[in-house]
Protein backbone atom coordinates (compact mmCIF):
# COMPACT_ATOMS: atom_id res chain seq x y z
CA UNK A 1 0.00 0.00 0.00
CA UNK A 2 2.82 2.38 0.84
CA UNK A 3 4.58 1.51 -2.42
CA UNK A 4 1.37 2.14 -4.33
CA UNK A 5 0.99 5.54 -2.68
CA UNK A 6 4.58 6.50 -3.49
CA UNK A 7 4.17 5.31 -7.09
CA UNK A 8 1.04 7.43 -7.41
CA UNK A 9 2.87 10.45 -6.04
CA UNK A 10 5.69 9.98 -8.55
CA UNK A 11 3.23 9.84 -11.45
CA UNK A 12 1.16 12.83 -10.32
CA UNK A 13 4.18 15.02 -9.59
CA UNK A 14 6.51 13.65 -12.28
CA UNK A 15 6.94 17.02 -14.02
CA UNK A 16 7.63 18.85 -10.76
CA UNK A 17 10.04 16.15 -9.59
CA UNK A 18 12.06 16.24 -12.81
CA UNK A 19 12.22 20.03 -12.69
CA UNK A 20 13.31 20.05 -9.04
CA UNK A 21 16.02 17.44 -9.57
CA UNK A 22 17.29 19.23 -12.68
CA UNK A 23 17.53 22.54 -10.81
CA UNK A 24 19.26 20.76 -7.90
CA UNK A 25 21.96 19.48 -10.29
CA UNK A 26 22.17 22.76 -12.22
CA UNK A 27 21.74 25.52 -9.62
CA UNK A 28 23.32 28.14 -11.87
CA UNK A 29 21.15 27.43 -14.90
CA UNK A 30 19.23 30.44 -16.23
CA UNK A 31 15.62 30.91 -15.22
CA UNK A 32 13.14 29.26 -17.58
CA UNK A 33 11.06 31.29 -19.97
CA UNK A 34 7.39 30.31 -20.10
CA UNK A 35 5.12 31.23 -22.97
CA UNK A 36 1.44 31.77 -22.29
CA UNK A 37 0.87 28.30 -23.70
CA UNK A 38 3.30 26.86 -21.15
CA UNK A 39 1.48 28.68 -18.36
CA UNK A 40 -1.91 27.34 -19.42
CA UNK A 41 -0.40 23.86 -19.64
CA UNK A 42 0.89 24.24 -16.08
CA UNK A 43 -2.55 25.28 -14.87
CA UNK A 44 -4.06 22.29 -16.67
CA UNK A 45 -1.63 19.96 -14.88
CA UNK A 46 -2.52 21.64 -11.60
CA UNK A 47 -6.24 21.20 -12.27
CA UNK A 48 -5.65 17.52 -13.01
CA UNK A 49 -3.74 17.14 -9.73
CA UNK A 50 -6.63 18.75 -7.83
CA UNK A 51 -9.16 16.41 -9.46
CA UNK A 52 -7.00 13.34 -8.81
CA UNK A 53 -6.57 14.35 -5.18
CA UNK A 54 -10.28 14.95 -4.65
CA UNK A 55 -11.27 11.64 -6.26
CA UNK A 56 -8.62 9.66 -4.36
CA UNK A 57 -9.63 11.19 -1.04
CA UNK A 58 -13.31 10.49 -1.68
CA UNK A 59 -12.65 6.85 -2.60
CA UNK A 60 -10.38 6.20 0.38
CA UNK A 61 -12.78 7.87 2.78
CA UNK A 62 -15.71 5.86 1.43
CA UNK A 63 -13.73 2.62 1.74
CA UNK A 64 -12.56 3.35 5.32
CA UNK A 65 -15.46 5.41 6.68
CA UNK A 66 -16.38 2.74 9.24
CA UNK A 67 -12.83 2.15 10.49
CA UNK A 68 -11.59 5.73 10.67
CA UNK A 69 -13.48 6.72 13.86
CA UNK A 70 -11.73 3.91 15.73
CA UNK A 71 -8.19 4.77 14.59
CA UNK A 72 -8.31 8.55 14.11
CA UNK A 73 -8.86 10.80 17.16
CA UNK A 74 -11.81 13.16 16.98
CA UNK A 75 -11.17 16.65 15.71
CA UNK A 76 -10.00 19.05 18.40
CA UNK A 77 -9.02 22.69 18.53
CA UNK A 78 -10.05 25.59 16.34
CA UNK A 79 -9.12 26.57 12.81
CA UNK A 80 -7.24 29.56 14.26
CA UNK A 81 -5.11 27.31 16.43
CA UNK A 82 -4.44 24.98 13.51
CA UNK A 83 -3.33 27.93 11.37
CA UNK A 84 -1.08 29.37 14.07
CA UNK A 85 0.48 25.98 14.78
CA UNK A 86 1.41 25.35 11.15
CA UNK A 87 2.65 28.92 10.65
CA UNK A 88 4.81 28.45 13.76
CA UNK A 89 6.26 25.26 12.26
CA UNK A 90 7.02 27.02 8.98
CA UNK A 91 8.63 29.89 10.89
CA UNK A 92 10.78 27.49 12.92
CA UNK A 93 11.86 25.64 9.77
CA UNK A 94 12.72 28.93 8.05
CA UNK A 95 14.72 30.23 11.02
CA UNK A 96 16.64 26.97 11.33
CA UNK A 97 17.38 26.93 7.62
CA UNK A 98 18.62 30.51 7.75
CA UNK A 99 21.13 29.60 10.47
CA UNK A 100 22.30 26.43 8.69
CA UNK A 101 22.64 28.30 5.41
CA UNK A 102 24.65 31.13 6.97
CA UNK A 103 26.98 28.56 8.53
CA UNK A 104 27.42 26.93 5.09
CA UNK A 105 26.14 23.62 6.43
CA UNK A 106 23.46 23.32 3.76
CA UNK A 107 22.85 25.10 0.48
CA UNK A 108 19.66 27.05 -0.01
CA UNK A 109 19.48 28.90 -3.31
CA UNK A 110 16.58 31.24 -3.93
CA UNK A 111 15.31 30.27 -7.35
CA UNK A 112 15.15 33.03 -9.93
CA UNK A 113 11.51 33.62 -10.92
CA UNK A 114 10.64 32.34 -14.35
CA UNK A 115 10.12 34.85 -17.12
CA UNK A 116 6.45 34.67 -18.06
CA UNK A 117 4.15 36.28 -20.61
CA UNK A 118 1.18 36.60 -18.23
CA UNK A 119 1.83 37.81 -14.70
CA UNK A 120 -1.76 37.10 -13.70
CA UNK A 121 -1.52 33.45 -14.72
CA UNK A 122 1.68 33.20 -12.68
CA UNK A 123 -0.16 34.63 -9.66
CA UNK A 124 -3.04 32.17 -10.05
CA UNK A 125 -0.61 29.25 -10.36
CA UNK A 126 1.31 30.26 -7.22
CA UNK A 127 -1.75 30.94 -5.07
CA UNK A 128 -3.29 27.60 -6.09
CA UNK A 129 -0.27 25.53 -5.05
CA UNK A 130 -1.98 24.58 -1.78
CA UNK A 131 -4.78 22.94 -3.74
CA UNK A 132 -2.20 21.00 -5.74
CA UNK A 133 -0.18 19.71 -2.79
CA UNK A 134 -2.08 19.53 0.49
CA UNK A 135 -4.86 17.09 -0.49
CA UNK A 136 -2.47 14.55 -2.04
CA UNK A 137 0.55 15.03 0.22
CA UNK A 138 -1.32 15.41 3.53
CA UNK A 139 -4.96 14.33 3.53
CA UNK A 140 -4.58 11.24 1.34
CA UNK A 141 -1.73 9.56 3.28
CA UNK A 142 -3.46 10.22 6.61
CA UNK A 143 -6.79 8.81 5.41
CA UNK A 144 -5.12 5.81 3.80
CA UNK A 145 -2.50 4.90 6.41
CA UNK A 146 -3.84 6.03 9.79
CA UNK A 147 -4.33 2.98 11.96
CA UNK A 148 -2.01 0.98 9.72
CA UNK A 149 1.15 2.98 10.43
CA UNK A 150 2.04 5.19 13.41
CA UNK A 151 1.50 8.86 12.76
CA UNK A 152 5.24 9.60 12.90
CA UNK A 153 5.80 7.18 10.00
CA UNK A 154 3.07 8.87 7.95
CA UNK A 155 4.67 12.23 8.71
CA UNK A 156 8.10 11.00 7.61
CA UNK A 157 6.75 9.47 4.40
CA UNK A 158 4.80 12.55 3.36
CA UNK A 159 7.56 14.96 4.39
CA UNK A 160 10.15 13.08 2.32
CA UNK A 161 8.02 13.35 -0.78
CA UNK A 162 7.42 17.03 -0.08
CA UNK A 163 11.14 17.63 0.40
CA UNK A 164 11.93 16.10 -2.99
CA UNK A 165 9.57 18.56 -4.66
CA UNK A 166 11.51 21.48 -3.15
CA UNK A 167 15.00 20.35 -4.03
CA UNK A 168 15.19 23.11 -6.63
CA UNK A 169 16.23 25.28 -3.66
CA UNK A 170 19.12 22.89 -2.97
CA UNK A 171 19.70 20.50 -0.08
CA UNK A 172 18.44 23.18 2.27
CA UNK A 173 15.16 23.26 0.38
CA UNK A 174 14.73 19.55 1.02
CA UNK A 175 15.28 19.94 4.78
CA UNK A 176 13.08 23.04 4.93
CA UNK A 177 10.12 21.37 3.24
CA UNK A 178 10.76 18.17 5.19
CA UNK A 179 10.17 20.02 8.47
CA UNK A 180 7.02 21.97 7.64
CA UNK A 181 5.73 19.11 5.50
CA UNK A 182 5.84 16.78 8.50
CA UNK A 183 4.13 19.46 10.60
CA UNK A 184 1.35 19.75 8.01
CA UNK A 185 0.52 16.06 8.45
CA UNK A 186 0.41 16.40 12.23
CA UNK A 187 -1.79 19.52 12.05
CA UNK A 188 -4.26 17.74 9.76
CA UNK A 189 -4.21 14.64 11.95
CA UNK A 190 -4.88 16.71 15.07
CA UNK A 191 -7.21 19.45 13.82
CA UNK A 192 -8.76 17.91 10.66
CA UNK A 193 -8.89 21.19 8.78
CA UNK A 194 -7.45 20.73 5.32
CA UNK A 195 -8.71 24.09 4.08
CA UNK A 196 -6.46 25.85 6.61
CA UNK A 197 -3.36 24.21 5.12
CA UNK A 198 -4.50 25.05 1.60
CA UNK A 199 -5.11 28.70 2.47
CA UNK A 200 -1.83 29.18 4.33
CA UNK A 201 0.25 27.54 1.61
CA UNK A 202 -1.22 29.75 -1.08
CA UNK A 203 -1.86 33.04 0.71
CA UNK A 204 0.96 33.16 3.28
CA UNK A 205 3.87 31.14 1.93
CA UNK A 206 3.44 32.45 -1.63
CA UNK A 207 2.24 35.96 -0.88
CA UNK A 208 5.34 37.44 -2.54
CA UNK A 209 4.00 36.44 -5.96
CA UNK A 210 1.57 39.38 -5.75
CA UNK A 211 4.58 41.59 -6.46
CA UNK A 212 4.07 40.67 -10.13
CA UNK A 213 0.75 42.53 -10.31
CA UNK A 214 1.17 45.31 -7.72
CA UNK A 215 2.53 48.46 -9.41
CA UNK A 216 4.91 49.51 -6.67
CA UNK A 217 8.68 49.35 -6.37
CA UNK A 218 8.39 48.45 -2.68
CA UNK A 219 5.79 45.72 -3.13
CA UNK A 220 8.28 42.85 -2.88
CA UNK A 221 9.78 44.19 0.35
CA UNK A 222 6.39 44.84 1.94
CA UNK A 223 5.02 41.43 0.99
CA UNK A 224 8.10 39.66 2.29
CA UNK A 225 7.78 41.61 5.53
CA UNK A 226 4.16 40.50 5.88
CA UNK A 227 5.22 36.90 5.34
CA UNK A 228 7.95 37.13 7.99
CA UNK A 229 5.65 38.92 10.44
CA UNK A 230 2.94 36.25 10.19
CA UNK A 231 5.28 33.28 10.48
CA UNK A 232 7.42 34.57 13.33
CA UNK A 233 4.49 36.02 15.27
CA UNK A 234 2.93 32.56 15.14
CA UNK A 235 6.22 31.02 16.27
CA UNK A 236 6.34 33.43 19.23
CA UNK A 237 2.71 32.56 20.07
CA UNK A 238 3.65 28.88 20.15
CA UNK A 239 6.89 29.28 22.10
CA UNK A 240 5.81 31.81 24.75
CA UNK A 241 3.51 29.62 26.90
CA UNK A 242 5.93 26.68 26.69
CA UNK A 243 8.81 28.89 27.79
CA UNK A 244 6.75 30.14 30.73
CA UNK A 245 5.89 26.60 31.68
CA UNK A 246 9.56 25.61 31.54
CA UNK A 247 10.75 28.54 33.69
CA UNK A 248 7.71 28.62 36.00
CA UNK A 249 7.01 24.97 36.69
CA UNK A 250 4.58 25.73 39.53
CA UNK A 251 2.02 27.32 37.26
CA UNK A 252 -1.20 25.45 36.75
CA UNK A 253 -3.96 25.66 34.16
CA UNK A 254 -7.30 26.81 35.54
CA UNK A 255 -10.49 26.58 33.53
CA UNK A 256 -12.91 29.30 34.56
CA UNK A 257 -16.01 29.39 32.39
CA UNK A 258 -14.85 28.96 28.80
CA UNK A 259 -11.37 30.42 29.28
CA UNK A 260 -8.18 28.67 30.27
CA UNK A 261 -5.47 30.74 31.97
CA UNK A 262 -2.01 30.05 33.31
CA UNK A 263 -1.68 31.10 36.97
CA UNK A 264 -0.02 30.24 40.24
CA UNK A 265 -1.59 27.90 42.82
CA UNK A 266 -2.42 30.86 45.10
CA UNK A 267 -4.25 32.72 42.34
CA UNK A 268 -5.87 29.47 41.29
CA UNK A 269 -7.32 29.08 44.79
CA UNK A 270 -8.80 32.56 44.62
CA UNK A 271 -10.30 31.96 41.20
CA UNK A 272 -11.77 28.66 42.25
CA UNK A 273 -13.12 30.27 45.42
CA UNK A 274 -14.55 33.64 44.32
CA UNK A 275 -15.77 34.45 47.84
CA UNK A 276 -12.15 35.19 48.72
CA UNK A 277 -12.38 38.25 46.52
CA UNK A 278 -14.78 39.95 48.97
CA UNK A 279 -13.31 43.45 49.51
CA UNK A 280 -14.87 43.76 52.97
CA UNK A 281 -13.32 40.57 54.29
CA UNK A 282 -10.19 42.29 55.61
CA UNK A 283 -12.28 44.80 57.62
CA UNK A 284 -14.49 42.26 59.34
CA UNK A 285 -13.79 41.60 62.99
CA UNK A 286 -13.36 38.03 64.13
CA UNK A 287 -16.50 36.43 65.56
CA UNK A 288 -16.98 36.82 69.34
CA UNK A 289 -17.30 33.65 71.33
CA UNK A 290 -20.46 33.47 73.47
Amino acid sequence: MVLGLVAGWVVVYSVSLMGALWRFREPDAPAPTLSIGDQWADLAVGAAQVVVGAVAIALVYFARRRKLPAVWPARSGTARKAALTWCAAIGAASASLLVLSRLDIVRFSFSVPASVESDWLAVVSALAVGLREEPILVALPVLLLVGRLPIWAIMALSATMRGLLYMYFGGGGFLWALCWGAAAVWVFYRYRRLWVLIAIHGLVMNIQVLDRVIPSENAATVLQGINILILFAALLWWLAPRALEAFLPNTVAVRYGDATVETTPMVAEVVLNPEKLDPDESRREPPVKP
Side-chain angles (χ1 to χ4, degrees), residues 106-127:
V106 296
R107 177 176 65 84
F108 186 87
S109 304
F110 288 99
S111 59
V112 180
S115 176
V116 298
E117 286 190 31
S118 173
D119 288 330
W120 280 106
L121 289 181
V123 169
V124 171
S125 179
L127 296 182

PDB file of all heavy atoms in Angstrom, residues 106-127:
ATOM      1  N   VAL A 106      24.310  23.763   4.865  1.00  0.00           N
ATOM      2  CA  VAL A 106      23.462  23.320   3.758  1.00  0.00           C
ATOM      3  C   VAL A 106      23.358  24.451   2.744  1.00  0.00           C
ATOM      4  O   VAL A 106      23.595  25.618   3.066  1.00  0.00           O
ATOM      5  CB  VAL A 106      22.047  22.914   4.232  1.00  0.00           C
ATOM      6  CG1 VAL A 106      22.102  21.722   5.162  1.00  0.00           C
ATOM      7  CG2 VAL A 106      21.343  24.092   4.906  1.00  0.00           C
ATOM      8  N   ARG A 107      23.016  24.089   1.536  1.00  0.00           N
ATOM      9  CA  ARG A 107      22.848  25.097   0.482  1.00  0.00           C
ATOM     10  C   ARG A 107      21.372  25.364   0.261  1.00  0.00           C
ATOM     11  O   ARG A 107      20.571  24.452   0.081  1.00  0.00           O
ATOM     12  CB  ARG A 107      23.467  24.607  -0.834  1.00  0.00           C
ATOM     13  CG  ARG A 107      23.269  25.591  -1.995  1.00  0.00           C
ATOM     14  CD  ARG A 107      23.977  25.105  -3.252  1.00  0.00           C
ATOM     15  NE  ARG A 107      23.424  23.881  -3.766  1.00  0.00           N
ATOM     16  CZ  ARG A 107      22.347  23.810  -4.569  1.00  0.00           C
ATOM     17  NH1 ARG A 107      21.704  24.913  -4.917  1.00  0.00           N
ATOM     18  NH2 ARG A 107      21.923  22.640  -5.008  1.00  0.00           N
ATOM     19  N   PHE A 108      21.023  26.632   0.304  1.00  0.00           N
ATOM     20  CA  PHE A 108      19.658  27.049  -0.009  1.00  0.00           C
ATOM     21  C   PHE A 108      19.755  28.186  -1.006  1.00  0.00           C
ATOM     22  O   PHE A 108      20.196  29.289  -0.660  1.00  0.00           O
ATOM     23  CB  PHE A 108      18.908  27.498   1.242  1.00  0.00           C
ATOM     24  CG  PHE A 108      17.454  27.806   0.978  1.00  0.00           C
ATOM     25  CD1 PHE A 108      16.499  26.813   1.032  1.00  0.00           C
ATOM     26  CD2 PHE A 108      17.051  29.104   0.673  1.00  0.00           C
ATOM     27  CE1 PHE A 108      15.172  27.091   0.789  1.00  0.00           C
ATOM     28  CE2 PHE A 108      15.717  29.390   0.432  1.00  0.00           C
ATOM     29  CZ  PHE A 108      14.773  28.383   0.487  1.00  0.00           C
ATOM     30  N   SER A 109      19.382  27.913  -2.240  1.00  0.00           N
ATOM     31  CA  SER A 109      19.483  28.902  -3.307  1.00  0.00           C
ATOM     32  C   SER A 109      18.092  29.387  -3.683  1.00  0.00           C
ATOM     33  O   SER A 109      17.248  28.573  -4.102  1.00  0.00           O
ATOM     34  CB  SER A 109      20.169  28.295  -4.539  1.00  0.00           C
ATOM     35  OG  SER A 109      21.438  27.772  -4.207  1.00  0.00           O
ATOM     36  N   PHE A 110      17.865  30.695  -3.512  1.00  0.00           N
ATOM     37  CA  PHE A 110      16.581  31.240  -3.930  1.00  0.00           C
ATOM     38  C   PHE A 110      16.485  31.150  -5.452  1.00  0.00           C
ATOM     39  O   PHE A 110      17.345  31.662  -6.161  1.00  0.00           O
ATOM     40  CB  PHE A 110      16.440  32.697  -3.479  1.00  0.00           C
ATOM     41  CG  PHE A 110      16.233  32.838  -2.011  1.00  0.00           C
ATOM     42  CD1 PHE A 110      17.307  33.158  -1.189  1.00  0.00           C
ATOM     43  CD2 PHE A 110      14.988  32.639  -1.444  1.00  0.00           C
ATOM     44  CE1 PHE A 110      17.126  33.298   0.180  1.00  0.00           C
ATOM     45  CE2 PHE A 110      14.802  32.775  -0.068  1.00  0.00           C
ATOM     46  CZ  PHE A 110      15.872  33.096   0.735  1.00  0.00           C
ATOM     47  N   SER A 111      15.462  30.461  -5.911  1.00  0.00           N
ATOM     48  CA  SER A 111      15.312  30.273  -7.349  1.00  0.00           C
ATOM     49  C   SER A 111      14.926  31.596  -8.012  1.00  0.00           C
ATOM     50  O   SER A 111      14.145  32.379  -7.470  1.00  0.00           O
ATOM     51  CB  SER A 111      14.235  29.218  -7.638  1.00  0.00           C
ATOM     52  OG  SER A 111      13.001  29.610  -7.100  1.00  0.00           O
ATOM     53  N   VAL A 112      15.484  31.829  -9.177  1.00  0.00           N
ATOM     54  CA  VAL A 112      15.151  33.032  -9.931  1.00  0.00           C
ATOM     55  C   VAL A 112      13.771  32.835 -10.556  1.00  0.00           C
ATOM     56  O   VAL A 112      13.516  31.819 -11.190  1.00  0.00           O
ATOM     57  CB  VAL A 112      16.203  33.290 -11.030  1.00  0.00           C
ATOM     58  CG1 VAL A 112      15.844  34.544 -11.816  1.00  0.00           C
ATOM     59  CG2 VAL A 112      17.587  33.415 -10.412  1.00  0.00           C
ATOM     60  N   PRO A 113      12.857  33.791 -10.351  1.00  0.00           N
ATOM     61  CA  PRO A 113      11.507  33.616 -10.916  1.00  0.00           C
ATOM     62  C   PRO A 113      11.555  33.438 -12.422  1.00  0.00           C
ATOM     63  O   PRO A 113      12.364  34.063 -13.122  1.00  0.00           O
ATOM     64  CB  PRO A 113      10.794  34.913 -10.523  1.00  0.00           C
ATOM     65  CG  PRO A 113      11.562  35.453  -9.367  1.00  0.00           C
ATOM     66  CD  PRO A 113      12.984  35.034  -9.591  1.00  0.00           C
ATOM     67  N   ALA A 114      10.695  32.573 -12.914  1.00  0.00           N
ATOM     68  CA  ALA A 114      10.639  32.341 -14.355  1.00  0.00           C
ATOM     69  C   ALA A 114      10.134  33.590 -15.068  1.00  0.00           C
ATOM     70  O   ALA A 114       9.354  34.376 -14.528  1.00  0.00           O
ATOM     71  CB  ALA A 114       9.718  31.155 -14.655  1.00  0.00           C
ATOM     72  N   SER A 115      10.611  33.764 -16.277  1.00  0.00           N
ATOM     73  CA  SER A 115      10.121  34.846 -17.115  1.00  0.00           C
ATOM     74  C   SER A 115       8.827  34.370 -17.776  1.00  0.00           C
ATOM     75  O   SER A 115       8.802  33.329 -18.422  1.00  0.00           O
ATOM     76  CB  SER A 115      11.176  35.201 -18.164  1.00  0.00           C
ATOM     77  OG  SER A 115      10.688  36.184 -19.051  1.00  0.00           O
ATOM     78  N   VAL A 116       7.754  35.107 -17.573  1.00  0.00           N
ATOM     79  CA  VAL A 116       6.447  34.669 -18.062  1.00  0.00           C
ATOM     80  C   VAL A 116       5.807  35.754 -18.923  1.00  0.00           C
ATOM     81  O   VAL A 116       6.139  36.939 -18.808  1.00  0.00           O
ATOM     82  CB  VAL A 116       5.504  34.328 -16.886  1.00  0.00           C
ATOM     83  CG1 VAL A 116       6.063  33.177 -16.062  1.00  0.00           C
ATOM     84  CG2 VAL A 116       5.266  35.547 -16.007  1.00  0.00           C
ATOM     85  N   GLU A 117       4.888  35.331 -19.772  1.00  0.00           N
ATOM     86  CA  GLU A 117       4.153  36.279 -20.607  1.00  0.00           C
ATOM     87  C   GLU A 117       2.985  36.896 -19.845  1.00  0.00           C
ATOM     88  O   GLU A 117       2.658  38.057 -20.028  1.00  0.00           O
ATOM     89  CB  GLU A 117       3.632  35.579 -21.866  1.00  0.00           C
ATOM     90  CG  GLU A 117       4.705  35.271 -22.887  1.00  0.00           C
ATOM     91  CD  GLU A 117       4.109  34.806 -24.202  1.00  0.00           C
ATOM     92  OE1 GLU A 117       2.997  35.250 -24.552  1.00  0.00           O
ATOM     93  OE2 GLU A 117       4.750  33.992 -24.871  1.00  0.00           O
ATOM     94  N   SER A 118       2.340  36.113 -18.984  1.00  0.00           N
ATOM     95  CA  SER A 118       1.183  36.597 -18.233  1.00  0.00           C
ATOM     96  C   SER A 118       1.484  36.572 -16.740  1.00  0.00           C
ATOM     97  O   SER A 118       1.594  35.501 -16.141  1.00  0.00           O
ATOM     98  CB  SER A 118      -0.056  35.749 -18.541  1.00  0.00           C
ATOM     99  OG  SER A 118      -1.131  36.112 -17.691  1.00  0.00           O
ATOM    100  N   ASP A 119       1.595  37.745 -16.146  1.00  0.00           N
ATOM    101  CA  ASP A 119       1.828  37.812 -14.705  1.00  0.00           C
ATOM    102  C   ASP A 119       0.625  37.292 -13.922  1.00  0.00           C
ATOM    103  O   ASP A 119       0.787  36.669 -12.862  1.00  0.00           O
ATOM    104  CB  ASP A 119       2.139  39.252 -14.291  1.00  0.00           C
ATOM    105  CG  ASP A 119       3.515  39.706 -14.748  1.00  0.00           C
ATOM    106  OD1 ASP A 119       4.412  38.847 -14.848  1.00  0.00           O
ATOM    107  OD2 ASP A 119       3.694  40.912 -15.002  1.00  0.00           O
ATOM    108  N   TRP A 120      -0.566  37.534 -14.419  1.00  0.00           N
ATOM    109  CA  TRP A 120      -1.761  37.102 -13.698  1.00  0.00           C
ATOM    110  C   TRP A 120      -1.870  35.582 -13.663  1.00  0.00           C
ATOM    111  O   TRP A 120      -2.275  35.013 -12.645  1.00  0.00           O
ATOM    112  CB  TRP A 120      -3.016  37.714 -14.323  1.00  0.00           C
ATOM    113  CG  TRP A 120      -3.229  39.132 -13.894  1.00  0.00           C
ATOM    114  CD1 TRP A 120      -3.028  40.255 -14.633  1.00  0.00           C
ATOM    115  CD2 TRP A 120      -3.665  39.571 -12.608  1.00  0.00           C
ATOM    116  NE1 TRP A 120      -3.302  41.383 -13.887  1.00  0.00           N
ATOM    117  CE2 TRP A 120      -3.707  40.996 -12.639  1.00  0.00           C
ATOM    118  CE3 TRP A 120      -4.025  38.926 -11.434  1.00  0.00           C
ATOM    119  CZ2 TRP A 120      -4.094  41.752 -11.551  1.00  0.00           C
ATOM    120  CZ3 TRP A 120      -4.416  39.689 -10.339  1.00  0.00           C
ATOM    121  CH2 TRP A 120      -4.452  41.080 -10.403  1.00  0.00           C
ATOM    122  N   LEU A 121      -1.506  34.916 -14.738  1.00  0.00           N
ATOM    123  CA  LEU A 121      -1.518  33.452 -14.722  1.00  0.00           C
ATOM    124  C   LEU A 121      -0.472  32.920 -13.746  1.00  0.00           C
ATOM    125  O   LEU A 121      -0.695  31.898 -13.083  1.00  0.00           O
ATOM    126  CB  LEU A 121      -1.267  32.901 -16.131  1.00  0.00           C
ATOM    127  CG  LEU A 121      -2.392  33.064 -17.143  1.00  0.00           C
ATOM    128  CD1 LEU A 121      -1.996  32.443 -18.476  1.00  0.00           C
ATOM    129  CD2 LEU A 121      -3.680  32.433 -16.629  1.00  0.00           C
ATOM    130  N   ALA A 122       0.663  33.603 -13.654  1.00  0.00           N
ATOM    131  CA  ALA A 122       1.685  33.205 -12.683  1.00  0.00           C
ATOM    132  C   ALA A 122       1.173  33.356 -11.263  1.00  0.00           C
ATOM    133  O   ALA A 122       1.442  32.511 -10.392  1.00  0.00           O
ATOM    134  CB  ALA A 122       2.949  34.036 -12.885  1.00  0.00           C
ATOM    135  N   VAL A 123       0.409  34.415 -10.992  1.00  0.00           N
ATOM    136  CA  VAL A 123      -0.161  34.626  -9.661  1.00  0.00           C
ATOM    137  C   VAL A 123      -1.168  33.530  -9.334  1.00  0.00           C
ATOM    138  O   VAL A 123      -1.157  32.951  -8.237  1.00  0.00           O
ATOM    139  CB  VAL A 123      -0.825  36.016  -9.580  1.00  0.00           C
ATOM    140  CG1 VAL A 123      -1.644  36.139  -8.303  1.00  0.00           C
ATOM    141  CG2 VAL A 123       0.234  37.105  -9.627  1.00  0.00           C
ATOM    142  N   VAL A 124      -2.042  33.224 -10.277  1.00  0.00           N
ATOM    143  CA  VAL A 124      -3.035  32.171 -10.052  1.00  0.00           C
ATOM    144  C   VAL A 124      -2.357  30.830  -9.782  1.00  0.00           C
ATOM    145  O   VAL A 124      -2.739  30.092  -8.868  1.00  0.00           O
ATOM    146  CB  VAL A 124      -3.981  32.058 -11.263  1.00  0.00           C
ATOM    147  CG1 VAL A 124      -4.881  30.826 -11.133  1.00  0.00           C
ATOM    148  CG2 VAL A 124      -4.829  33.316 -11.395  1.00  0.00           C
ATOM    149  N   SER A 125      -1.326  30.518 -10.544  1.00  0.00           N
ATOM    150  CA  SER A 125      -0.614  29.250 -10.361  1.00  0.00           C
ATOM    151  C   SER A 125       0.029  29.164  -8.984  1.00  0.00           C
ATOM    152  O   SER A 125      -0.028  28.123  -8.320  1.00  0.00           O
ATOM    153  CB  SER A 125       0.458  29.101 -11.447  1.00  0.00           C
ATOM    154  OG  SER A 125       1.176  27.896 -11.289  1.00  0.00           O
ATOM    155  N   ALA A 126       0.634  30.261  -8.525  1.00  0.00           N
ATOM    156  CA  ALA A 126       1.306  30.256  -7.221  1.00  0.00           C
ATOM    157  C   ALA A 126       0.310  30.177  -6.064  1.00  0.00           C
ATOM    158  O   ALA A 126       0.527  29.450  -5.097  1.00  0.00           O
ATOM    159  CB  ALA A 126       2.190  31.490  -7.079  1.00  0.00           C
ATOM    160  N   LEU A 127      -0.781  30.935  -6.162  1.00  0.00           N
ATOM    161  CA  LEU A 127      -1.753  30.938  -5.075  1.00  0.00           C
ATOM    162  C   LEU A 127      -2.525  29.624  -4.979  1.00  0.00           C
ATOM    163  O   LEU A 127      -3.071  29.290  -3.926  1.00  0.00           O
ATOM    164  CB  LEU A 127      -2.742  32.103  -5.245  1.00  0.00           C
ATOM    165  CG  LEU A 127      -2.143  33.513  -5.168  1.00  0.00           C
ATOM    166  CD1 LEU A 127      -3.242  34.557  -5.299  1.00  0.00           C
ATOM    167  CD2 LEU A 127      -1.373  33.712  -3.861  1.00  0.00           C
TER     168      LEU A 127
END
